[in-house]
Amino acid sequence: HTGTNGSINLTGGYSKGWITGAGINFNHRKNKINLYGDISYSRIKGPFSIDKYDRISADGTIFEKEINIDRIDTTILVNGRVGLDYEVTKKTLIGILLTGNNRHFTQAEQTRSMALKNNLTDTITTFLNNELNDWTDYGINFNVNHNFKESSNLILNLDHIHYKNDQPVNYFATNYDGNGDFVYNENTRSGKITYFNFWVAALDYKSKIGKNISLETGFKQTVSSFQNNISFH
């Protein structure tokens, strides 16, 4: 079949926060060439709140702690791919496929913690926390599919996949005494960047050697690398 087709979609909703999304895909075939691809986007944002209260009595002394947490989480997903197949002969097809994905998660949190002793405020601490967890990957695939006859074929796949994870965290705390007077600040920051790389080669052969007998054999080799960079201060 020859021609071009595709579609576009849009989504939207609300569940404690807005949910939005969009996507597009296409396919174009002409003569010996088939070009295809798609890309999608989604965003989910919502609040998350916690109120916690603890009370302990020990030797006539009452210790209480009130914690109020207000957090907003946002997740953005982007996925895409584009591929090309070319029919070299009626029996041989070669193709290349490029893929890419990104997951971007952010968290913004405000926390207020108040400690009381015998119904009197002892300390107050406020926290401002920001976290990021960003995953990005891309890959490339080269493949060859050759049919020797109707009952046997040989498939070659060569892949390279790269992953990167970026995960910085920032915690900022402000401490007050029981009268609400400022005491000191404390800032803690950490970072983590991780890289993964994979190279994969696979060769598969399938053949039907009888009415009820088939033969399958193949070879696969994987090489990987890993790097992790961590900082804290």
Side-chain angles (χ1 to χ4, degrees), residues 1-120:
H1 300 286
T2 299
T4 304
N5 61 76
S7 64
I8 298 175
N9 65 80
L10 300 172
T11 60
Y14 188 87
S15 176
K16 294 184 179 180
W18 287 104
I19 301 173
T20 56
I24 183 172
N25 66 80
F26 71 92
N27 188 90
H28 174 74
R29 182 184 292 273
K30 185 176 181 180
N31 299 326
K32 296 183 177 183
I33 294 176
N34 182 41
L35 178 67
Y36 60 93
D38 57 71
I39 186 169
S40 62
Y41 167 89
S42 67
R43 180 178 182 270
I44 302 174
K45 182 177 182 179
F48 181 78
S49 299
I50 297 176
D51 294 317
K52 184 179 179 181
Y53 172 77
D54 294 318
R55 185 178 186 274
I56 299 175
S57 178
D59 298 327
T61 302
I62 298 175
F63 299 94
E64 299 171 278
K65 193 168 188 178
E66 298 178 3
I67 300 176
N68 308 106
I69 300 174
D70 289 312
R71 192 175 84 189
I72 296 179
D73 296 339
T74 304
T75 302
I76 298 175
L77 299 172
V78 180
N79 303 293
R81 64 172 188 156
V82 61
L84 175 68
D85 293 328
Y86 179 72
E87 187 179 300
V88 181
T89 68
K90 292 294 183 181
K91 293 185 176 182
T92 305
L93 181 70
I94 63 174
I96 187 169
L97 176 64
L98 304 176
T99 60
N101 304 281
N102 177 257
R103 181 185 183 273
H104 186 84
F105 172 82
T106 57
Q107 174 185 295
E109 182 178 284
Q110 298 183 26
T111 301
R112 185 177 187 271
S113 176
M114 182 170 64
L116 300 94
K117 182 178 179 180
N118 292 331
N119 295 320
L120 297 176

Side-chain angles (χ1 to χ4, degrees), residues 5-233:
N5 61 76
S7 64
I8 298 175
N9 65 80
L10 300 172
T11 60
Y14 188 87
S15 176
K16 294 184 179 180
W18 287 104
I19 301 173
T20 56
I24 183 172
N25 66 80
F26 71 92
N27 188 90
H28 174 74
R29 182 184 292 273
K30 185 176 181 180
N31 299 326
K32 296 183 177 183
I33 294 176
N34 182 41
L35 178 67
Y36 60 93
D38 57 71
I39 186 169
S40 62
Y41 167 89
S42 67
R43 180 178 182 270
I44 302 174
K45 182 177 182 179
F48 181 78
S49 299
I50 297 176
D51 294 317
K52 184 179 179 181
Y53 172 77
D54 294 318
R55 185 178 186 274
I56 299 175
S57 178
D59 298 327
T61 302
I62 298 175
F63 299 94
E64 299 171 278
K65 193 168 188 178
E66 298 178 3
I67 300 176
N68 308 106
I69 300 174
D70 289 312
R71 192 175 84 189
I72 296 179
D73 296 339
T74 304
T75 302
I76 298 175
L77 299 172
V78 180
N79 303 293
R81 64 172 188 156
V82 61
L84 175 68
D85 293 328
Y86 179 72
E87 187 179 300
V88 181
T89 68
K90 292 294 183 181
K91 293 185 176 182
T92 305
L93 181 70
I94 63 174
I96 187 169
L97 176 64
L98 304 176
T99 60
N101 304 281
N102 177 257
R103 181 185 183 273
H104 186 84
F105 172 82
T106 57
Q107 174 185 295
E109 182 178 284
Q110 298 183 26
T111 301
R112 185 177 187 271
S113 176
M114 182 170 64
L116 300 94
K117 182 178 179 180
N118 292 331
N119 295 320
L120 297 176
T121 302
D122 187 58
T123 58
I124 300 173
T125 305
T126 61
F127 300 91
L128 294 176
N129 304 333
N130 294 285
E131 297 185 16
L132 168 68
N133 192 345
D134 188 87
W135 276 96
T136 302
D137 70 81
Y138 63 81
I140 180 170
N141 166 265
F142 175 76
N143 59 85
V144 179
N145 190 329
H146 179 75
N147 294 312
F148 295 98
K149 50 186 179 180
E150 293 184 0
S151 58
S152 65
N153 72 311
L154 184 69
I155 301 174
L156 170 68
N157 277 286
L158 302 175
D159 292 276
H160 171 58
I161 306 171
H162 172 82
Y163 293 91
K164 178 185 176 182
N165 177 229
D166 187 10
Q167 199 171 351
V169 178
N170 184 37
Y171 297 103
F172 185 79
T174 304
N175 296 274
Y176 304 90
D177 61 21
N179 297 319
D181 296 326
F182 170 79
V183 179
Y184 68 95
N185 288 327
E186 186 177 8
N187 191 15
T188 303
R189 288 178 290 175
S190 66
K192 182 173 75 72
I193 300 179
T194 305
Y195 300 94
F196 299 91
N197 282 286
F198 297 93
W199 295 266
V200 183
L203 186 66
D204 296 291
Y205 175 76
K206 298 179 182 180
S207 178
K208 190 171 183 181
I209 57 178
K211 185 177 181 180
N212 299 315
I213 301 175
S214 62
L215 171 67
E216 294 186 13
T217 186
F219 167 84
K220 185 175 183 179
Q221 177 68 44
T222 301
V223 178
S224 62
S225 68
F226 169 81
Q227 180 181 344
N228 200 24
N229 301 321
I230 298 176
S231 62
F232 183 84
H233 56 277

